[in-house]
Amino acid sequence: MDQKFSSLPDVQSLVDGRNIPIDRVGVRGLTVPLTVASVKGPQPTVAEVSMYVGLPADKRGTHMSRFVSLIADDPEPLSSGMMRSLLERMLELLGAEEGYIDIRCPFFVTKTSPVSGLKSLMNYKVRFTAERRRGVTRILQEITAPVTSLCPCSREISDYGAHNQRSRITIAVELDGELSLEEQIRIAETSASCELWSRLKRNDEKYVTEYAYDHPKFVEDIVRDTAKQLNAEPRVLAYHTEAENFESIHNHSAYAQIERDKRLG
Amino acid sequence: MDQKFSSLPDVQSLVDGRNIPIDRVGVRGLTVPLTVASVKGPQPTVAEVSMYVGLPADKRGTHMSRFVSLIADDPEPLSSGMMRSLLERMLELLGAEEGYIDIRCPFFVTKTSPVSGLKSLMNYKVRFTAERRRGVTRILQEITAPVTSLCPCSREISDYGAHNQRSRITIAVELDGELSLEEQIRIAETSASCELWSRLKRNDEKYVTEYAYDHPKFVEDIVRDTAKQLNAEPRVLAYHTEAENFESIHNHSAYAQIERDKRLG
Amino acid sequence: MDQKFSSLPDVQSLVDGRNIPIDRVGVRGLTVPLTVASVKGPQPTVAEVSMYVGLPADKRGTHMSRFVSLIADDPEPLSSGMMRSLLERMLELLGAEEGYIDIRCPFFVTKTSPVSGLKSLMNYKVRFTAERRRGVTRILQEITAPVTSLCPCSREISDYGAHNQRSRITIAVELDGELSLEEQIRIAETSASCELWSRLKRNDEKYVTEYAYDHPKFVEDIVRDTAKQLNAEPRVLAYHTEAENFESIHNHSAYAQIERDKRLG
Amino acid sequence: MDQKFSSLPDVQSLVDGRNIPIDRVGVRGLTVPLTVASVKGPQPTVAEVSMYVGLPADKRGTHMSRFVSLIADDPEPLSSGMMRSLLERMLELLGAEEGYIDIRCPFFVTKTSPVSGLKSLMNYKVRFTAERRRGVTRILQEITAPVTSLCPCSREISDYGAHNQRSRITIAVELDGELSLEEQIRIAETSASCELWSRLKRNDEKYVTEYAYDHPKFVEDIVRDTAKQLNAEPRVLAYHTEAENFESIHNHSAYAQIERDKRLG
């Protein structure tokens, strides 16, 4: 058999007889270099991308390689706005009515240590999702920030000291307007017992130790203080926030989560 | 300060003034040995457990150590029925109206190879979740089975051979009655190009190679064939199923997902 | 072609012409249920197993399925002694002179909280490796224990409080005689600022908070105190120990490691 | 107490009385954006960095924040040469005689599909380590490339088809002179049954399917063919190479490894 390209059968385009639509089909775990929008301009990073579309009951398969071309060819920095247009283009290119995109990447912010004024880079996790379902489009902008939590109970009942630990706060928001990733990270960092820096001199270390001791918070306090700020922020239409404390006195975590859609009253 | 135990303040029980209820709060990532119900009786395994309750707006904190005692003291093998009673007991012990439990563990089934009849153990992933929300209780029983997928397009267009790879199929079901983990795993394994065994002799290897070639399936076919079986199974009220092919010709996966609640018509 | 089993060609047994011996070849990431030896008898767990042998330059391939049968058929609880005989049997079954086995599993110890006397299970990681190379056999018994570390610098320079965090201590030993996993875990736990428990009442929490504050340790102190105990233990012929502090004031870890073979003087 | 910075005690610089030197102490898991040297110039990426030094028996602690400043301030693209100078600067800055640096990052190469000529990015893993120990400096340059492997036994014994799967090949080299990451990746890709691309049209898919079928390789063949190329490459002084096949007919991997230092004869 000496098959020519033009005559290779297109098995994915065949009609499917099982009569079962597929909610999401596409590529998962594609690793690509791209830029993400920061207040200081596009920031180079490396992202993990998944892209899916809905497939009607009568179509046998989607066209996987089109997803790859779509993300490879996009020069625009990652942002809520870019996700909206990427979703549009994906639906058009794949001939689909519904779809879902998930992009995750590290993100960096230059921070200045609290006393000595030392500059250093802190790393965060950023994630964007875009979904079109039953005609409704939702874009979620998510950050995860590492912070310090210090236990109020431990502080109260102990003659000296208080157990504290690294925690992570995650905030995903649906926006009306723009909220920079840096602003969103600040909401997380200011809801903790103390924020983190990559480099601290001894006078900075004294400051963060005492600051955390002066701001004891349960995991419940952290998500509530995060929620309080998100409630007050008019650009946030809906949010999901969670906090996880990697307890220094246990081998498991304490965890809390709050979800709210302001449009539902 | 010479504080006595009896007088140690209970900071978690204080009244909270922020007026923000918490959807989920509790422990995450607790590792415990337990048994899981199999058709051959209780099977020892090691599970990762997370347990959360809803917290009203006026309560400052939950009682974390009660979650730990709850799972530690339960002698019953893990099953959908056990999850229902564990959820009840958690809500009672924590004085909560809503709650969520997530338990994951490896699970083993003795299989017989297709030609030589060699016995060996295959390992799967099992997960149970139990949720009470707005008065409704949902128990989900989930398995993840590794399988082989063989690409129909590659087979069709190539003069010889066809790319194939390891895939994983996940099926989560809400049940009316009982479905054993073994039965649920069979639904996954019979929806793939071929199932897996841990030990194969050469005549078995010939069999699985040819069997997969005779049953080519896209990731779309796999989830549809899984959905078809779940549609026909009267004990299944609702399901979520997904398949991921770790493509042998790419460095990313092909992925598909179908969700259905039969009660919604 | 209607090939019979008895005549299926054995491709792995062919002679190889490249003249390159292979240091290790075998199976990796096999998940199996087994038991591990504890002071209270065999403890059920789930292990991840890798088994390799050396392959001479003139042999094309090893026999993969034999490794699987070997671990599946062993009823003996995991221990340093069992690893020695498993290595012997693997080398014999595979007809090899050199080989390597790596088995990892969770391990549990019932602990009693320090003040209230509450019992709960703590989970640890256990790993055994066995290697025969150039005629020498080495068995390593390794544990990883989660602990608390409290920073001496932070305590010294701060008016109140001190940053602390979860840490993990790993100890691998080559033994002359027997050292129980429980004894080895105690060496780690007693080298930290404080050990962990899964359940603590408030008076226990007061105790662990103050205990850690009274025993501040850098990551350097932790590995040195571990090494000191291992130096003094006559059953330990050689050791590798490391400690990692998941810093509560940074988003990276502090790490230290000490290796020593007492036989080298 | 109104402590001034200049008077904060420097606890790390105290004399230690345990008389135990530490082999490695420093920071682990630092995430930083940097560039890596490619044949087309500096390529932006995100790296995970660990940096350790040896600590003499009489020094209590190292200075953790100096490690962070070191990597943050380096503008030079990651390469074997850059690692050598970074190691020098670390030893000088920390006042140490021995040290170890480990940097890992994703790396991208634009590839052209074999028939249709479609361009797309493939992602690989890159790792550099630099070690000074007992006066000897070793720099290792490592790549991990995903590839396809197709089983010769399965092909030989089956009437049609052959099981194949994604595999990963790792090559770490100690160099005399320069070997680009792209050249090192080609050694891996040309040792497999077939290399991978991110985007393939149908005629490309036909090509890679048939190419893999025409180049069946056991995991043993893959490491040997890699070793053969590394033996023949004069710029390589020593190497470690391994291959792992994520078997499509099992739920575990087949694995092989070869190490050689040419200077040892």
Side-chain angles (χ1 to χ4, degrees), chain C residues 203-229:
Chain C
N203 48 358
D204 297 315
E205 188 171 349
K206 172 178 163 59
Y207 175 90
V208 299
T209 302
E210 295 172 357
Y211 191 94
Y213 194 85
D214 288 336
H215 298 79
K217 299 209 183 186
F218 289 121
V219 74
E220 292 94 333
D221 294 320
I222 293 175
V223 277
R224 274 183 170 137
D225 287 348
T226 306
K228 206 171 151 185
Q229 291 194 61

mmCIF file of all heavy atoms in Angstrom, chain C residues 203-229:
data_model
loop_
_atom_site.group_PDB
_atom_site.id
_atom_site.type_symbol
_atom_site.label_atom_id
_atom_site.label_comp_id
_atom_site.label_asym_id
_atom_site.label_seq_id
_atom_site.Cartn_x
_atom_site.Cartn_y
_atom_site.Cartn_z
ATOM 1 N N ASN C 203 -3.999 21.097 76.763
ATOM 2 C CA ASN C 203 -2.826 21.056 77.651
ATOM 3 C C ASN C 203 -1.612 20.434 76.944
ATOM 4 O O ASN C 203 -0.469 20.795 77.214
ATOM 5 C CB ASN C 203 -3.138 20.328 78.975
ATOM 6 C CG ASN C 203 -3.839 18.994 78.747
ATOM 7 O OD1 ASN C 203 -4.138 18.623 77.600
ATOM 8 N ND2 ASN C 203 -4.095 18.269 79.818
ATOM 9 N N ASP C 204 -1.876 19.529 75.996
ATOM 10 C CA ASP C 204 -0.774 19.006 75.180
ATOM 11 C C ASP C 204 -0.210 20.103 74.269
ATOM 12 O O ASP C 204 1.004 20.195 74.067
ATOM 13 C CB ASP C 204 -1.270 17.860 74.273
ATOM 14 C CG ASP C 204 -1.780 16.663 75.054
ATOM 15 O OD1 ASP C 204 -1.111 16.249 76.021
ATOM 16 O OD2 ASP C 204 -2.863 16.143 74.700
ATOM 17 N N GLU C 205 -1.100 20.903 73.711
ATOM 18 C CA GLU C 205 -0.665 21.947 72.778
ATOM 19 C C GLU C 205 0.200 22.983 73.502
ATOM 20 O O GLU C 205 1.193 23.478 72.958
ATOM 21 C CB GLU C 205 -1.886 22.608 72.127
ATOM 22 C CG GLU C 205 -1.484 23.565 71.009
ATOM 23 C CD GLU C 205 -2.671 24.077 70.194
ATOM 24 O OE1 GLU C 205 -3.786 23.534 70.347
ATOM 25 O OE2 GLU C 205 -2.469 25.026 69.411
ATOM 26 N N LYS C 206 -0.202 23.301 74.738
ATOM 27 C CA LYS C 206 0.623 24.196 75.578
ATOM 28 C C LYS C 206 2.020 23.566 75.777
ATOM 29 O O LYS C 206 3.043 24.236 75.614
ATOM 30 C CB LYS C 206 -0.071 24.395 76.926
ATOM 31 C CG LYS C 206 0.748 25.140 77.987
ATOM 32 C CD LYS C 206 -0.101 25.316 79.262
ATOM 33 C CE LYS C 206 0.744 25.662 80.495
ATOM 34 N NZ LYS C 206 1.538 26.889 80.383
ATOM 35 N N TYR C 207 2.026 22.278 76.062
ATOM 36 C CA TYR C 207 3.297 21.585 76.304
ATOM 37 C C TYR C 207 4.208 21.634 75.070
ATOM 38 O O TYR C 207 5.385 21.996 75.173
ATOM 39 C CB TYR C 207 3.014 20.129 76.697
ATOM 40 C CG TYR C 207 4.250 19.270 76.851
ATOM 41 C CD1 TYR C 207 4.901 19.163 78.072
ATOM 42 C CD2 TYR C 207 4.772 18.562 75.764
ATOM 43 C CE1 TYR C 207 6.038 18.379 78.217
ATOM 44 C CE2 TYR C 207 5.909 17.791 75.898
ATOM 45 C CZ TYR C 207 6.537 17.692 77.115
ATOM 46 O OH TYR C 207 7.674 16.920 77.244
ATOM 47 N N VAL C 208 3.678 21.274 73.898
ATOM 48 C CA VAL C 208 4.543 21.210 72.701
ATOM 49 C C VAL C 208 5.004 22.600 72.269
ATOM 50 O O VAL C 208 6.120 22.763 71.767
ATOM 51 C CB VAL C 208 3.874 20.469 71.507
ATOM 52 C CG1 VAL C 208 3.547 19.026 71.879
ATOM 53 C CG2 VAL C 208 2.638 21.193 71.002
ATOM 54 N N THR C 209 4.150 23.598 72.466
ATOM 55 C CA THR C 209 4.547 24.968 72.130
ATOM 56 C C THR C 209 5.733 25.405 72.989
ATOM 57 O O THR C 209 6.739 25.916 72.492
ATOM 58 C CB THR C 209 3.357 25.932 72.348
ATOM 59 O OG1 THR C 209 2.256 25.506 71.551
ATOM 60 C CG2 THR C 209 3.743 27.353 71.975
ATOM 61 N N GLU C 210 5.614 25.185 74.296
ATOM 62 C CA GLU C 210 6.682 25.609 75.213
ATOM 63 C C GLU C 210 7.922 24.727 75.072
ATOM 64 O O GLU C 210 9.056 25.206 75.168
ATOM 65 C CB GLU C 210 6.163 25.599 76.658
ATOM 66 C CG GLU C 210 5.062 26.639 76.852
ATOM 67 C CD GLU C 210 4.369 26.567 78.212
ATOM 68 O OE1 GLU C 210 4.707 25.654 79.000
ATOM 69 O OE2 GLU C 210 3.481 27.405 78.460
ATOM 70 N N TYR C 211 7.706 23.436 74.806
ATOM 71 C CA TYR C 211 8.843 22.527 74.635
ATOM 72 C C TYR C 211 9.704 22.956 73.432
ATOM 73 O O TYR C 211 10.935 22.996 73.510
ATOM 74 C CB TYR C 211 8.356 21.087 74.456
ATOM 75 C CG TYR C 211 9.465 20.067 74.527
ATOM 76 C CD1 TYR C 211 9.784 19.431 75.732
ATOM 77 C CD2 TYR C 211 10.225 19.752 73.404
ATOM 78 C CE1 TYR C 211 10.830 18.515 75.814
ATOM 79 C CE2 TYR C 211 11.268 18.845 73.474
ATOM 80 C CZ TYR C 211 11.560 18.223 74.673
ATOM 81 O OH TYR C 211 12.602 17.324 74.750
ATOM 82 N N ALA C 212 9.051 23.268 72.328
ATOM 83 C CA ALA C 212 9.786 23.705 71.131
ATOM 84 C C ALA C 212 10.526 25.006 71.420
ATOM 85 O O ALA C 212 11.686 25.183 71.029
ATOM 86 C CB ALA C 212 8.831 23.881 69.946
ATOM 87 N N TYR C 213 9.869 25.925 72.148
ATOM 88 C CA TYR C 213 10.507 27.216 72.473
ATOM 89 C C TYR C 213 11.729 26.990 73.368
ATOM 90 O O TYR C 213 12.726 27.714 73.271
ATOM 91 C CB TYR C 213 9.490 28.131 73.168
ATOM 92 C CG TYR C 213 9.934 29.578 73.236
ATOM 93 C CD1 TYR C 213 9.710 30.447 72.169
ATOM 94 C CD2 TYR C 213 10.590 30.073 74.368
ATOM 95 C CE1 TYR C 213 10.122 31.767 72.223
ATOM 96 C CE2 TYR C 213 11.008 31.396 74.430
ATOM 97 C CZ TYR C 213 10.773 32.239 73.356
ATOM 98 O OH TYR C 213 11.186 33.559 73.414
ATOM 99 N N ASP C 214 11.658 25.973 74.195
ATOM 100 C CA ASP C 214 12.779 25.652 75.096
ATOM 101 C C ASP C 214 13.886 24.862 74.401
ATOM 102 O O ASP C 214 14.959 24.656 74.990
ATOM 103 C CB ASP C 214 12.270 24.827 76.299
ATOM 104 C CG ASP C 214 11.450 25.688 77.250
ATOM 105 O OD1 ASP C 214 11.645 26.922 77.267
ATOM 106 O OD2 ASP C 214 10.600 25.128 77.977
ATOM 107 N N HIS C 215 13.634 24.370 73.199
ATOM 108 C CA HIS C 215 14.636 23.579 72.470
ATOM 109 C C HIS C 215 14.833 24.113 71.044
ATOM 110 O O HIS C 215 14.603 23.399 70.067
ATOM 111 C CB HIS C 215 14.206 22.101 72.406
ATOM 112 C CG HIS C 215 14.105 21.465 73.747
ATOM 113 N ND1 HIS C 215 13.014 21.658 74.590
ATOM 114 C CD2 HIS C 215 14.965 20.662 74.438
ATOM 115 C CE1 HIS C 215 13.204 20.981 75.711
ATOM 116 N NE2 HIS C 215 14.372 20.373 75.656
ATOM 117 N N PRO C 216 15.256 25.372 70.916
ATOM 118 C CA PRO C 216 15.435 25.956 69.573
ATOM 119 C C PRO C 216 16.564 25.244 68.835
ATOM 120 O O PRO C 216 17.587 24.920 69.455
ATOM 121 C CB PRO C 216 15.803 27.405 69.869
ATOM 122 C CG PRO C 216 16.426 27.378 71.226
ATOM 123 C CD PRO C 216 15.702 26.292 71.983
ATOM 124 N N LYS C 217 16.373 24.985 67.546
ATOM 125 C CA LYS C 217 17.412 24.300 66.763
ATOM 126 C C LYS C 217 17.421 24.790 65.318
ATOM 127 O O LYS C 217 16.372 24.829 64.661
ATOM 128 C CB LYS C 217 17.154 22.783 66.741
ATOM 129 C CG LYS C 217 17.184 22.153 68.135
ATOM 130 C CD LYS C 217 17.628 20.705 68.059
ATOM 131 C CE LYS C 217 17.584 20.087 69.449
ATOM 132 N NZ LYS C 217 18.133 18.733 69.446
ATOM 133 N N PHE C 218 18.596 25.111 64.835
ATOM 134 C CA PHE C 218 18.781 25.327 63.398
ATOM 135 C C PHE C 218 18.729 23.971 62.695
ATOM 136 O O PHE C 218 18.891 22.928 63.324
ATOM 137 C CB PHE C 218 20.163 25.933 63.115
ATOM 138 C CG PHE C 218 20.313 27.350 63.552
ATOM 139 C CD1 PHE C 218 21.292 27.715 64.469
ATOM 140 C CD2 PHE C 218 19.492 28.336 63.033
ATOM 141 C CE1 PHE C 218 21.448 29.033 64.869
ATOM 142 C CE2 PHE C 218 19.647 29.661 63.431
ATOM 143 C CZ PHE C 218 20.619 30.012 64.350
ATOM 144 N N VAL C 219 18.592 23.992 61.378
ATOM 145 C CA VAL C 219 18.651 22.751 60.605
ATOM 146 C C VAL C 219 20.016 22.090 60.809
ATOM 147 O O VAL C 219 20.132 20.865 60.835
ATOM 148 C CB VAL C 219 18.324 23.041 59.112
ATOM 149 C CG1 VAL C 219 19.481 23.729 58.406
ATOM 150 C CG2 VAL C 219 17.912 21.783 58.375
ATOM 151 N N GLU C 220 21.048 22.911 61.013
ATOM 152 C CA GLU C 220 22.392 22.382 61.289
ATOM 153 C C GLU C 220 22.404 21.626 62.627
ATOM 154 O O GLU C 220 23.052 20.582 62.751
ATOM 155 C CB GLU C 220 23.419 23.524 61.369
ATOM 156 C CG GLU C 220 23.688 24.252 60.053
ATOM 157 C CD GLU C 220 22.823 25.497 59.878
ATOM 158 O OE1 GLU C 220 21.701 25.543 60.448
ATOM 159 O OE2 GLU C 220 23.256 26.418 59.168
ATOM 160 N N ASP C 221 21.719 22.188 63.635
ATOM 161 C CA ASP C 221 21.680 21.522 64.944
ATOM 162 C C ASP C 221 20.960 20.180 64.849
ATOM 163 O O ASP C 221 21.348 19.204 65.489
ATOM 164 C CB ASP C 221 20.929 22.408 65.956
ATOM 165 C CG ASP C 221 21.676 23.702 66.250
ATOM 166 O OD1 ASP C 221 22.917 23.658 66.369
ATOM 167 O OD2 ASP C 221 21.022 24.754 66.331
ATOM 168 N N ILE C 222 19.906 20.158 64.061
ATOM 169 C CA ILE C 222 19.110 18.927 63.963
ATOM 170 C C ILE C 222 19.941 17.784 63.373
ATOM 171 O O ILE C 222 19.984 16.691 63.937
ATOM 172 C CB ILE C 222 17.823 19.177 63.133
ATOM 173 C CG1 ILE C 222 16.897 20.133 63.893
ATOM 174 C CG2 ILE C 222 17.117 17.861 62.835
ATOM 175 C CD1 ILE C 222 15.659 20.558 63.121
ATOM 176 N N VAL C 223 20.613 18.033 62.250
ATOM 177 C CA VAL C 223 21.419 16.934 61.676
ATOM 178 C C VAL C 223 22.589 16.576 62.577
ATOM 179 O O VAL C 223 22.985 15.417 62.658
ATOM 180 C CB VAL C 223 21.975 17.193 60.249
ATOM 181 C CG1 VAL C 223 20.936 16.879 59.203
ATOM 182 C CG2 VAL C 223 22.574 18.556 60.094
ATOM 183 N N ARG C 224 23.163 17.560 63.251
ATOM 184 C CA ARG C 224 24.286 17.244 64.156
ATOM 185 C C ARG C 224 23.811 16.428 65.346
ATOM 186 O O ARG C 224 24.491 15.481 65.756
ATOM 187 C CB ARG C 224 24.943 18.527 64.640
ATOM 188 C CG ARG C 224 25.997 19.041 63.679
ATOM 189 C CD ARG C 224 26.671 20.285 64.227
ATOM 190 N NE ARG C 224 27.830 20.651 63.424
ATOM 191 C CZ ARG C 224 28.117 21.902 63.058
ATOM 192 N NH1 ARG C 224 27.315 22.896 63.409
ATOM 193 N NH2 ARG C 224 29.197 22.143 62.327
ATOM 194 N N ASP C 225 22.647 16.779 65.898
ATOM 195 C CA ASP C 225 22.153 16.017 67.053
ATOM 196 C C ASP C 225 21.741 14.610 66.629
ATOM 197 O O ASP C 225 21.892 13.649 67.397
ATOM 198 C CB ASP C 225 21.000 16.767 67.727
ATOM 199 C CG ASP C 225 21.519 17.991 68.504
ATOM 200 O OD1 ASP C 225 22.755 18.096 68.692
ATOM 201 O OD2 ASP C 225 20.707 18.836 68.897
ATOM 202 N N THR C 226 21.246 14.488 65.409
ATOM 203 C CA THR C 226 20.945 13.161 64.871
ATOM 204 C C THR C 226 22.249 12.371 64.707
ATOM 205 O O THR C 226 22.350 11.207 65.120
ATOM 206 C CB THR C 226 20.231 13.301 63.505
ATOM 207 O OG1 THR C 226 19.099 14.153 63.654
ATOM 208 C CG2 THR C 226 19.773 11.953 62.988
ATOM 209 N N ALA C 227 23.253 13.000 64.105
ATOM 210 C CA ALA C 227 24.550 12.345 63.875
ATOM 211 C C ALA C 227 25.196 11.918 65.197
ATOM 212 O O ALA C 227 25.787 10.823 65.290
ATOM 213 C CB ALA C 227 25.483 13.290 63.108
ATOM 214 N N LYS C 228 25.074 12.784 66.193
ATOM 215 C CA LYS C 228 25.651 12.476 67.511
ATOM 216 C C LYS C 228 25.074 11.165 68.059
ATOM 217 O O LYS C 228 25.808 10.308 68.548
ATOM 218 C CB LYS C 228 25.314 13.631 68.450
ATOM 219 C CG LYS C 228 26.276 13.824 69.602
ATOM 220 C CD LYS C 228 25.936 15.140 70.310
ATOM 221 C CE LYS C 228 26.313 15.071 71.782
ATOM 222 N NZ LYS C 228 25.880 16.297 72.481
ATOM 223 N N GLN C 229 23.768 11.028 67.965
ATOM 224 C CA GLN C 229 23.122 9.797 68.440
ATOM 225 C C GLN C 229 23.547 8.592 67.596
ATOM 226 O O GLN C 229 23.755 7.500 68.116
ATOM 227 C CB GLN C 229 21.598 9.934 68.395
ATOM 228 C CG GLN C 229 21.035 10.922 69.415
ATOM 229 C CD GLN C 229 19.522 10.758 69.572
ATOM 230 O OE1 GLN C 229 19.046 9.690 69.957
ATOM 231 N NE2 GLN C 229 18.786 11.801 69.267
#
